Each structure stands twice: as C-alpha cells, then as structure tokens.
Amino acid sequence: MQVRTVVTGHDAKGRAVFVRDEKVDGMPIPGLGELAFLWNANEPQPTERGEQSGGARYFSAVGGIRFIIGTYLPGDFIAPEPTPEMHLEDGDELGGANAGFHRTDTTDFGVVLSGNLALQLDDGAEVSLSPGDVLIGERTRHRWRVVGDVPATLASFIIGAQRR
C-alpha cells in the first residue's frame, strides 16, 4: 500500500505553506497485514514545519498521536505480534484461546475505508463494521476479524491516554 500524505504548516512570516507532499509506503506486519504510519507525534501539537516527533511505534505516550491506515488480511482473528504497549491477559498471546485480544492505553478513532470488519469485545459481544462506519474505542479489551474473503482497510487516529 502507498498513501499520499500532504502536510501544511507556516513559513517564517506566518504564511500557510505546503511543507510536505510525499508517498508513504505501508509496512508489512506479520499476522496482521500492512500499516502505513502517516503521522506520529509524542505531544499534541506537531511542529510548524510538519516534522513528526514520534517514532513508528504502534501506540503513543499520553497525549501523543498516531494516524495510520491499515489493510488487514482475511482469516481468523487478527493477532499481531504483541508489543510492549499492548496489555494482554492469559490466553491472549499468539496461539492462545483468546488470540488477538488486547488493550492499549489509547483512545482510538477509526473509519472503515473498504472491506468489512468484525470487532469483538471481551464479553463476546460483536459488531460488524462496513465502509463508512466509524468506531471510537476507549481503552477496551478487543480483537478484530476481517469478514469475507477480501482485505479490509481501516484509517485510525490514536491518542495516548492514561491507563485505567
């Protein structure tokens, strides 16, 4: 996947300018699909020059932001390799009975761009999401599954939050 990203900012005189216009390549993520990290900042206010202050970690520190587009592959529940920022419970690890379940210290805003996804919560409740549907997640334990036989694409804006 490749996503064109245009960033605006200000020049030395305070005038609006385009500070970046580039194509961002997606990164293959084993067991998941592909993620394009479009914006990473470890504080709420990005720089005026369109520079990013965060690395390509999946999740940011409190108040930091991530904007990503992910394309997820059909199959069982999506179960990426766990990261230090993911909070897993017994059985959540790869190959476990609850593979794919995780909780992060983030508030997530997502919109389905293509394909269909099912979001399952830890009590077994599940909702199907189609293109145009929006999800707002508040640090809940959950897991994803692509519904059907075509990949699904989800744009997500993630804000680091305090752990509950």
Side-chain angles (χ1 to χ4, degrees):
M1 149 183 29
Q2 199 174 62
V3 180
R4 181 179 179 202
T5 304
V6 177
V7 179
T8 64
H10 297 93
D11 65 13
K13 295 181 180 179
R15 292 179 299 219
V17 295
F18 292 105
V19 294
R20 188 166 358 130
D21 185 346
E22 66 184 3
K23 296 201 182 216
V24 176
D25 291 320
M27 275 184 354
I29 307 294
L32 185 67
E34 191 174 26
L35 296 177
F37 290 90
L38 305 175
W39 192 261
N40 301 306
N42 288 332
E43 61 271 340
Q45 181 62 45
T47 70
E48 284 297 311
R49 295 178 308 282
E51 295 171 352
Q52 301 180 69
S53 63
R57 289 177 38 195
Y58 293 126
F59 309 103
S60 64
V62 174
I65 56 176
R66 299 288 182 266
F67 181 52
I68 61 174
I69 294 180
T71 298
Y72 304 97
L73 302 174
D76 291 331
F77 285 98
I78 298 165
E81 291 285 335
T83 69
E85 303 92 1
M86 295 170 68
H87 306 292
L88 304 180
E89 297 180 12
D90 288 339
D92 289 354
E93 57 277 340
L94 294 175
N98 297 318
F101 270 113
H102 63 283
R103 178 190 325 258
T104 57
D105 298 332
T106 60
T107 300
D108 307 338
F109 301 87
V111 61
V112 178
L113 301 178
S114 66
N116 295 287
L117 288 164
L119 176 68
Q120 187 179 70
L121 302 181
D122 57 7
D123 67 355
E126 186 172 291
V127 66
S128 294
L129 299 167
S130 300
D133 289 347
V134 171
L135 168 77
I136 301 168
E138 291 276 3
R139 298 168 280 186
T140 53
R141 184 170 171 259
H142 65 282
R143 66 181 174 180
W144 294 97
R145 176 173 50 84
V146 173
V147 177
D149 58 355
V150 298
T153 301
L154 179 72
S156 299
F157 183 73
I158 301 167
I159 302 172
Q162 292 286 340
R163 178 144 194 202
R164 280 191 173 194

